[in-house]
């Protein structure tokens, strides 16, 4: 079930504890907890560097969560986690080289090369929401932390939602041959719009 996002980490703690109680196992059977954060994360130290949707900047989430659980806690970017899941159990199971783009509140991507997740300098390898085109540069558009990137303002799910009344309208206008029709059908939930 999709829950409303919260920037209050104590709410996240309560949701996590509730979810763990719903599992058909006791705490001793859990070997670790993975936390996927929509934003730039320093996964080596468990710090959320910048998560505009949550209004988190330089939040040591690992330090906050570690004392609450009896098992190791790992923090990483949500798109990185999704791609690692695809490589582990999904469509990329037999692949050593994978690339994924995620459109949601923002825009992100993840890269696996030679079987290794690529983090890049300052953990920004997949942060394509911060791309700037020549036109953006010429008109003075700039990226800054604590805000969504320039590209995210154009192509994220949030940006597209402002331009189109539904995913169906978007695909009909931009894909008249219906090539992306399956995406609309697979992606439906709630009120039928992606």
């Amino acid at each position: 079930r999709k829950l409303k996002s919260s920037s209050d980490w104590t709410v996240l703690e309560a949701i996590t504890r509730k979810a763990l109680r719903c599992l058909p196992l006791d705490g001793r059977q859990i070997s670790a907890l993975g936390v996927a954060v929509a934003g730039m994360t320093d996964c080596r130290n468990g710090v959320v560097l910048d998560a505009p949707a949550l209004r988190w900047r330089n939040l040591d989430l690992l330090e906050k969560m570690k004392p609450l659980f009896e098992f190791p806690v790992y923090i990483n970017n949500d798109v990185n986690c999704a791609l690692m899941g695809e490589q582990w159990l999904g469509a990329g199971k037999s692949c050593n080289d994978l690339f994924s783009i995620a459109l949601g509140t923002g825009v992100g991507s993840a890269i696996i090369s030679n079987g290794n997740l690529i983090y890049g300098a300052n953990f920004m390898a997949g942060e394509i929401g911060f791309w700037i085109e020549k036109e953006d540069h010429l008109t003075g558009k700039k990226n800054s932390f604590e805000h969504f990137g320039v590209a995210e303002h154009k192509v994220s799910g949030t940006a597209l939602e402002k331009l189109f009344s539904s995913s169906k309208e978007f695909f009909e206008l931009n894909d008249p041959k219906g090539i992306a029709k399956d995406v609309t059908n697979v992606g439906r939930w709630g009120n039928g719009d992606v």
Side-chain angles (χ1 to χ4, degrees):
R1 170 184 102 164
K2 183 167 174 54
L3 300 171
K4 187 176 184 210
S5 294
S6 173
S7 59
D8 182 349
W9 75 269
T10 58
V11 170
L12 299 175
E13 174 203 346
I15 291 169
T16 303
R17 286 187 182 280
K18 184 176 181 179
L20 291 172
R21 282 193 304 272
C22 293
L23 292 174
L25 22 117
D26 68 40
R28 293 173 299 203
Q29 294 173 294
I30 300 171
S31 60
L33 172 67
V35 180
V37 179
M40 285 181 276
T41 60
D42 170 351
C43 62
R44 291 186 187 102
N45 296 303
V47 175
V48 179
L49 301 172
D50 190 39
L54 297 169
R55 292 183 235 68
W56 289 350
R57 180 143 163 79
N58 295 319
L59 175 71
D60 193 339
L61 189 57
L62 180 61
E63 188 67 30
K64 290 183 176 293
M65 295 193 82
K66 202 161 73 170
L68 305 173
F69 302 101
E70 297 174 11
F71 38 78
V73 176
Y74 298 94
I75 313 293
N76 207 321
N77 170 274
D78 59 339
V79 185
N80 288 346
C81 290
L83 190 58
M84 287 187 290
E86 282 297 322
Q87 185 185 41
W88 178 39
L89 294 173
K93 199 170 185 175
S94 62
C95 299
N96 283 324
D97 300 297
L98 299 159
F99 177 73
S100 175
I101 295 177
L103 299 179
T105 306
V107 177
S109 72
I111 307 156
I112 292 177
S113 179
N114 276 340
N116 298 306
L117 189 61
I118 305 299
Y119 290 101
N122 302 311
F123 302 96
M124 290 193 64
E127 298 299 333
I128 62 174
F130 287 91
W131 282 355
I132 295 179
E133 297 178 283
K134 183 178 180 179
E135 179 184 312
D136 299 325
H137 177 69
L138 294 174
T139 58
K141 292 181 182 168
K142 296 180 181 180
N143 289 310
S144 64
F145 287 115
E146 299 180 16
H147 300 284
F148 288 101
V150 170
E152 288 172 311
H153 286 287
K154 296 184 209 177
V155 298
S156 68
T158 304
L160 296 176
E161 186 177 57
K162 291 176 185 173
L163 297 172
F164 302 97
S165 62
S166 69
S167 57
K168 181 179 179 186
E169 178 189 3
F170 170 78
F171 287 120
E172 285 174 351
L173 291 172
N174 293 290
D175 186 20
K177 294 184 179 180
I179 295 168
K181 182 179 175 187
D182 290 338
V183 173
T184 305
N185 291 333
V186 171
R188 290 183 187 279
W189 72 79
N191 66 3
D193 291 331
V194 176

